[in-house]
Amino acid sequence: MTPRYAELHARSAFSFLDGASTPEALARRAAEVGLDTLALTDLDDLGGAVRFAEACAREGVRPLAGAELSLAAGGAVVLLCEDARGWAHLCQLVTRARRAPADPDAPPRGLPSVDLDTLAAHARGLVCLSGGRDGPLEATETGDPAPLAGALADIFGDAFYVEVHDHALLEDVARVERSLALAAHLGRPWVVAADARHAAPHDKPIHDALVCLAHRCTLDEAGDRLFPNDARHLRGPATVARAWRDAPAGVLRTLEVAERCDFALLRDLRPSLPRFPLPAGTPDADAHLAALCEEGFRRRYAHPTERHRAQLRRELALIRRLGLAGYFLIVHDIVRFARSRNVLVQGRGSAANSVVCYCLGVTAVDPIGLELLFERFLSDGRGEPPDIDLDIAHRDREQVLAYVYERYDRDHAAMVCETITARGKTAVRDAARVLGLPPEVAGALARQVGHAVPSDATSDTAFTRGGAADVLAEGGIERAG
């Protein structure tokens, strides 16, 4: 019989400086080694979840949504989503862990964590793995993991599993024995996981470099901060089954965990917008939007034709079918507030193709007069709200942000952030620093690469032939500089 195994614990590059592979690389590797199910469990972060789900869909791999969550007691547990409620709870836990704490005794910003009471309040819909060697059962201050393990078991009930690893180290034998004894003591099942930090074995040097950057040291200085082997990669079912042939229950149980995690991000997640507060006597959001558009229509078009009216009716009918009236009302409300405070604001992009946006005052150009195609902005085929980008005068934007938070509540409004990636020159300088190369050598190497180096570039393709990289490869550090 062909072995089966689901990998329940893997970090990507969104575990900043402790994950060496992109979500896409993990999905590709899973497909290559025959894993049909893979969980992404980045540390206190869900930033890679959508990319991971999309990559798994392309590769034919079933993605499990999850994360590692740092605990105030020490260590981090693995949380996997059983359903949409579990995803909501996981998002709330990560947010609470990262939110600047009001309690002066709480961990400072940059060291996220939650206490057990917060974890218990958001436990439903989640499966919890103990986290293995980096989990709270290893990090307990008393040295006795049983009390904390018991507390986690009480919180999660039959959704709590003791996680066990085998990274081909001598110390793993004793660690596995302790973990199995603890599981037996608690009467809770145990499960195998890889705690992968990179997709393939050959990616380990990248992880080593990231760890050195995190600790501001060179490879020579890193010591036991680095993993002693390349075992923390994704392995196929046959390899895992062979490693655990004397105790196969933990391998088979990964399938049990995967089966109970029925949440699919791309299938089940339909974020809802805050309800727009309607004026008294207004029957619904569609009626209110139509009234605002009619008022704006009279203001925008002094001599409208039937074509103008037909386009407005068509757009409002589509907005009603898609249930997007509240979305347009919220955007209009933000624009209205900004203008009431004399804050310069203007909609841009494909929203300019909409008569509704023009009548609401969100955009300033007549889409009919300019023969703009409305379907470029919104159509029946879209399963999500359209993009309406607002340019707001930078010096006054804080007024508008404060209004949005006050009007719609901080639980329904958030700032969007970007994940900054290292460009070629920066990556080369960082790698040179990790290797302990002199600054002048790092500079010479960086000058040979452009700002945009493909992610699959090698030393043969990233550097100019005959330059400092070739000299360095031949052992000439002084000449390379």
Side-chain angles (χ1 to χ4, degrees), residues 215-229:
H215 290 279
R216 300 178 182 272
C217 66
T218 67
L219 285 169
D220 288 340
E221 298 165 344
D224 60 6
R225 296 186 182 100
L226 306 179
F227 299 137
N229 61 26

Side-chain angles (χ1 to χ4, degrees), residues 138-153:
E138 293 279 343
T140 178
E141 293 181 0
T142 64
D144 180 7
L148 181 54
L152 291 171

Side-chain angles (χ1 to χ4, degrees), residues 273-278 284-289 319-320 322-334 360 385 388 408:
L273 291 164
R275 290 186 178 275
F276 184 81
L278 298 172
D284 55 38
D286 289 291
H288 187 47
L289 178 63
I319 290 169
R320 177 186 290 272
L322 298 179
L324 295 176
Y327 176 70
F328 284 85
L329 290 173
I330 290 170
V331 174
H332 167 263
D333 180 52
I334 294 170
L360 292 175
I388 302 180
Y408 299 102

Side-chain angles (χ1 to χ4, degrees), residues 100-111:
D103 182 356
D105 296 327
R109 182 183 288 276
L111 296 174

Side-chain angles (χ1 to χ4, degrees), residues 311-355:
Q311 180 62 26
L312 179 60
R313 288 195 299 269
R314 186 167 75 89
E315 291 189 20
L316 287 173
L318 178 59
I319 290 169
R320 177 186 290 272
R321 282 201 305 275
L322 298 179
L324 295 176
Y327 176 70
F328 284 85
L329 290 173
I330 290 170
V331 174
H332 167 263
D333 180 52
I334 294 170
V335 172
R336 177 203 59 76
F337 170 81
R339 291 194 173 131
S340 73
R341 298 297 191 275
N342 294 317
V343 176
L344 294 176
V345 60
Q346 187 63 66
R348 60 178 172 84
S350 62
N353 296 30
S354 166
V355 169

Side-chain angles (χ1 to χ4, degrees), residues 50 87 265-274 323-324 383-385:
V50 174
W87 171 259
L265 188 64
L266 301 183
R267 181 196 67 201
D268 299 335
L269 187 62
R270 294 290 183 271
S272 59
L273 291 164
L324 295 176
E384 58 187 13

